[in-house]
Amino acid sequence: MYFDELDLNDDILDALDAMNFSECTPIQAQAIPPLLEGRDLIGIAQTGTGKTAAYLLPILSRLSDGGFPTDAVNCVIMSPTRELAQQIDQAMEGFSYFVPVSSVAVYGGNDGIRYAQECRGFEKGADVIIATPGRLISHISLGNVDLSKVSFFVLDEADRMLDMGFIDDIMQIVSQLPADRQTMLFSATMPAEIQKLASTILHDPVEVKIAVSKPAEKIAQSAYICYEVQKLGIIQSLFADAKPERVLVFASSKLKVKDIARALGRIGKTNGFTVGEMHSDLTQPERDQVMRDFKSGQVNILVATDIVSRGIDIDDIRLVINFDVPHDCEDYVHRIGRTARAGSEGAAITFVSVDDQAGFRQIEKFIGKEVDKSPVPAELGEAPAYEPHAMKGRRSRSHHGGHGRGHGKGKGRGQSASGAEGQPKQPKDGQPKAQQSAADGTVAAKKKSRHKHHKKRPAAPSGAASALSVSGE
């Protein structure tokens, strides 16, 4: 389906045309029509399907058509992380380029100047607020914002918000909204908690579900079956002959991210590469600087958590390393989907420890293929055999979200990259001692014909481009 087949405002279509977008993704084609009709909606789609545009475009179109207060907040979009809030704000900038709709992004980790800018945005009657729950609650408690006239309420990545413990904040925000609003909930998964939330805050919603896509064929997937203490040594061996470029390492918790970044930083000093870390303990200026350094190549390897990774929107990541096996099968697809974007090639490597073998086998079944197993370098000692059936039940995983997503539940939670309390993990019976020393050193062709005569307009900002395509949001 093409965008000009939808009943979108002409100015919105002009913005899409200026960005050379003409064809909808599946989530956009199915979600936009009922949203334009004013229906509540549940959208089940993973990151990278274009769901940001699926709700922004109809909201902007309806606001552009008029009939809403000009001096009040008309739309609230909730995001679980600052990074996603920034991406939504950038998409808003592009889509609203030709329409008189104002917006303000509201998220924590900023200085007093940013806070004052947010307050001014409220005072001037910003049409759209894009916010993280905690920051918006802060403004509500201080009387800075009035949500009594909101017509549109969006929960983006609702499953992540529940995972991060925002349910009480969400319900507090909902209590400030009028009952006759239009509500949209988007989530990658639909666990029982999301179903309960949806039944509470939505009215007779349309449900749109897009099947989880498999990893791109151009991603060269492989795995190392290894002991925990061999992981850093494997990374060191990977970059012994070539300097790493645009490498993204995912870990299960922010504590592990810090430990891995420190360990890799020590290795990098002797091997000529630099390491950055991205997690929720960083201030917003620190996060912004890390991303600038990673994009510019000053940081070669970026270590990040699952939650923060949703704000990493870089098209030319060469290699993704799963230091831990993701807790959910869909998280695996999401993680490795950071590489081989926009038709490029990339590689994804997963370290599979003994306790993670059963879970990794579930992932292989989910993606419909057996991932190639690479041999652990001989100097790191003997590696365990891949016997997922023998390990079944040692660590349970889910195909569709639930408790513990992205929080490193199971063995190793809160431990350092090389073991508990920063010390090398003691080997199990039969695990070679050599492994300990290794760890230590370690709108395309089709044109619109809407019979509208207007002057040629300048190109719209490119910030919204990734919100439309399947390669990113």
Side-chain angles (χ1 to χ4, degrees):
M1 177 178 286
Y2 293 89
F3 286 112
D4 62 345
E5 296 179 65
L6 302 171
D7 192 23
L8 291 168
N9 181 280
D10 279 349
D11 291 327
I12 302 299
L13 291 172
D14 282 342
L16 292 170
D17 205 26
M19 292 183 287
N20 295 317
F21 284 106
S22 61
E23 194 167 358
C24 306
T25 66
I27 185 66
Q28 293 159 7
Q30 295 182 47
I32 291 176
L35 290 178
L36 287 173
E37 294 173 0
R39 295 287 302 277
D40 284 7
L41 182 136
I42 299 173
I44 309 300
Q46 67 184 113
T47 297
T49 55
K51 61 181 172 60
T52 304
Y55 62 79
L56 280 183
L57 294 176
I59 289 172
L60 287 171
S61 181
R62 293 190 62 193
L63 288 174
S64 301
D65 289 340
F68 297 92
T70 58
D71 58 349
V73 176
N74 290 303
C75 174
V76 173
I77 300 171
M78 302 305 305
S79 160
T81 65
R82 307 170 218 180
E83 286 72 29
L84 180 59
Q86 288 176 316
Q87 286 182 227
I88 297 170
D89 191 39
Q90 291 170 357
M92 173 72 72
E93 180 184 356
F95 297 146
S96 64
Y97 195 69
F98 299 133
V99 299
V101 175
S102 59
S103 65
V104 58
V106 177
Y107 46 82
N110 305 295
D111 55 24
I113 296 177
R114 173 73 194 185
Y115 191 85
Q117 290 174 340
E118 293 170 1
C119 291
R120 285 197 297 272
F122 299 145
E123 292 171 0
K124 293 180 179 179
D127 292 293
V128 180
I129 293 177
I130 304 160
T132 53
R135 185 69 156 205
L136 186 56
I137 289 291
S138 174
H139 281 294
I140 290 173
S141 63
L142 293 173
N144 294 335
V145 60
D146 178 12
L147 305 181
S148 64
K149 297 182 180 180
V150 167
S151 296
F152 308 99
F153 181 58
V154 181
L155 287 178
D156 198 353
E157 296 193 358
D159 52 347
R160 289 292 179 183
M161 279 195 259
L162 265 63
D163 283 345
M164 297 170 70
F166 286 138
I167 181 63
D168 291 338
D169 287 347
I170 291 170
M171 296 312 297
Q172 185 177 344
I173 292 167
V174 168
S175 70
Q176 304 292 312
L177 305 174
D180 58 349
R181 67 185 183 274
Q182 181 181 9
T183 304
M184 307 156 216
L185 185 152
F186 287 83
S187 180
T189 60
M190 195 65 176
E193 296 90 339
I194 295 294
Q195 295 177 21
K196 182 179 179 181
L197 175 64
S199 65
T200 303
I201 67 173
L202 281 80
H203 174 68
D204 188 26
V206 174
E207 185 170 329
V208 175
K209 187 171 183 178
I210 304 299
V212 176
S213 62
K214 305 306 181 189
E217 291 297 325
K218 291 189 176 182
I219 302 176
Q221 301 177 59
S222 62
Y224 285 88
I225 310 303
C226 59
Y227 293 109
E228 190 73 21
V229 295
Q230 293 176 316
K231 293 180 178 181
L232 287 174
I234 295 172
I235 293 180
Q236 189 170 7
S237 70
L238 289 173
F239 305 123
D241 299 323
K243 181 180 177 180
E245 294 183 6
R246 292 279 202 279
V247 177
L248 188 53
V249 179
F250 286 116
S252 58
S253 71
K254 64 183 177 184
L255 293 177
K256 206 159 191 179
V257 165
K258 294 176 183 179
D259 290 333
I260 295 169
R262 280 196 295 268
L264 289 180
R266 291 192 295 267
I267 296 172
K269 287 182 180 179
T270 58
N271 290 60
F273 59 81
T274 56
V275 181
E277 58 189 73
M278 180 72 84
H279 50 75
S280 59
D281 281 351
L282 299 181
T283 65
Q284 191 60 43
E286 289 172 334
R287 294 188 192 194
D288 293 341
Q289 186 61 54
V290 169
M291 289 308 303
R292 284 194 294 269
D293 291 343
F294 187 50
K295 290 179 179 180
S296 67
Q298 296 181 56
V299 166
N300 307 119
I301 299 177
L302 180 61
V303 189
T305 57
D306 273 325
I307 293 173
V308 176
S309 75
R310 299 230 174 181
I312 299 173
D313 191 20
I314 301 174
D315 286 337
D316 57 347
I317 290 175
R318 311 286 178 80
L319 171 64
V320 171
I321 297 176
N322 291 312
F323 199 88
D324 305 298
V325 174
H327 202 275
D328 294 330
C329 299
E330 291 175 1
D331 279 343
Y332 176 82
V333 176
H334 169 70
R335 282 187 184 185
I336 71 173
R338 298 286 113 180
T339 189
R341 303 176 79 177
S344 62
E345 296 183 351
I349 297 173
T350 302
F351 296 154
V352 185
S353 64
V354 174
D355 289 343
D356 285 336
Q357 289 190 16
F360 189 69
R361 181 56 187 152
Q362 288 184 22
I363 289 173
E364 290 182 312
K365 291 180 179 179
F366 182 74
I367 63 176
K369 66 176 294 184
E370 185 173 341
V371 175
D372 292 337
K373 311 301 186 298
S374 300
V376 172
E379 63 270 20
L380 298 181
E382 183 182 353
Y386 186 49
E387 299 175 335
H389 299 296
M391 302 299 167
K392 189 174 181 180
R394 294 187 63 166
R395 184 177 179 183
S396 61
R397 295 178 188 275
S398 168
H399 283 226
H400 46 74
H403 300 293
R405 282 187 66 184
H407 294 281
K409 289 208 172 188
K411 194 158 186 172
R413 184 183 181 188
Q415 296 181 355
S416 69
S418 55
E421 298 180 357
Q423 299 301 319
K425 193 174 181 180
Q426 294 301 313
K428 298 181 181 180
D429 292 341
Q431 183 174 327
K433 292 183 179 180
Q435 295 166 7
Q436 286 184 281
S437 59
D440 290 336
T442 38
V443 137
K446 182 173 181 179
K447 294 294 182 180
K448 302 185 304 296
S449 139
R450 300 191 306 280
H451 308 291
K452 179 181 177 183
H453 302 284
H454 54 267
K455 295 180 180 179
K456 183 175 178 63
R457 287 171 157 169
S462 59
S466 61
L468 283 155
S469 64
V470 175
S471 62
E473 288 196 57

